[in-house]
Structure formats: structure tokens, C-alpha cells
Amino acid sequence: MTEHKQISEMRALCDEVQRLLRLATDGLKPPSGSSETPRRKMSVFTYGICLALARREAQEPAALYLQYLLQGGLSMSSAETVVERTSLKFMYTEYGPSCCQLGEQFVQSEDTAGIAEILLS
């Protein structure tokens, strides 16, 4: 596979991540306050979406998540930090497995039921 084709495929996957996130979070308002938990939950949910898409397309989930973050405007060092924290720390918190699984399931069903309850609680 040529490098150009790989880049095009990764961009298309990033666009699909963005489409799914827009669909999943349409109308959600993060709770007020300074809690980091909703952002961390969202990060793990997004990683779950990347995990499902990457498996389907034989890509590396962390690489897809990194590209998605870079496409969103984060610097390389900031994006690498988010990927590292999400995949090595937040995935293993009390909410990590459920948020990741929710992201993976959402890729299959695109059913928004229950998303707000889990991500905003």
C-alpha cells in the first residue's frame, strides 16, 4: 500500500470517528464544575470508537486515536499525552471499561440510548 493511500485511509477513519462522535454527543451538555471525570470518560469513549474502527480496518487503535487528535488541532506532544493517559491510565479506572465498551458498541449500532447517562454521570 502506498503512503498516500495509507494517509487517505487514516483521514477517512478520522472523519468517521468525528461523524460518530457528533452523532453520539448531539445535545449533550457537560456538567458544570471542575471535575475531570466527564472529559476522561469522553476520551475513553472516543478510544473505544477508535478501537472498533481500527479492528475493522486492520489498523492500530492508538495510531488512529493519535491521528484523530492531531487532525483536531492538538500538537504532537499533547496528542501523545492524551493517547498515553487514555490507553494506559483512564482505561483502567472504574469507568474505563464501560466507557470503552460503550464506544465500541456505538460503532456497531449508532444507538445513542444510554450514552448521556454513562458519560455525564
Side-chain angles (χ1 to χ4, degrees):
M1 184 181 309
T2 68
E3 184 177 340
H4 178 65
K5 185 171 180 163
Q6 287 175 328
I7 291 169
S8 294
E9 287 180 0
M10 190 62 81
R11 281 192 183 135
L13 282 172
C14 290
D15 290 345
E16 180 65 359
V17 171
Q18 183 64 35
R19 183 190 75 76
L20 289 167
L21 283 173
R22 282 188 183 138
L23 180 63
T25 61
D26 185 42
L28 291 184
K29 301 267 190 259
S32 60
S34 61
S35 173
E36 293 285 320
T37 302
R39 281 188 285 190
R40 291 175 179 172
K41 285 181 174 183
M42 191 64 195
S43 186
V44 176
F45 176 74
T46 304
Y47 189 78
I49 289 174
C50 290
L51 190 61
L53 291 174
R55 281 185 186 143
R56 186 173 74 195
E57 301 297 325
Q59 298 286 336
E60 173 61 38
L64 174 56
Y65 190 36
L66 179 67
Q67 287 304 308
Y68 170 74
L69 294 170
L70 291 172
Q71 189 170 306
L74 283 182
S75 68
M76 179 61 90
S77 64
S78 294
E80 287 172 338
T81 299
V82 171
V83 171
E84 183 179 314
R85 285 183 183 164
T86 300
S87 62
L88 300 177
K89 182 178 177 186
F90 304 151
M91 287 283 291
Y92 301 100
T93 62
E94 69 278 358
Y95 57 80
S98 62
C99 289
C100 184
Q101 186 176 39
L102 184 65
E104 289 180 89
Q105 291 171 347
F106 184 70
V107 170
Q108 305 304 318
S109 67
E110 295 190 19
D111 181 8
T112 60
I115 289 177
E117 181 181 329
I118 291 174
L119 294 181
L120 300 179
S121 64

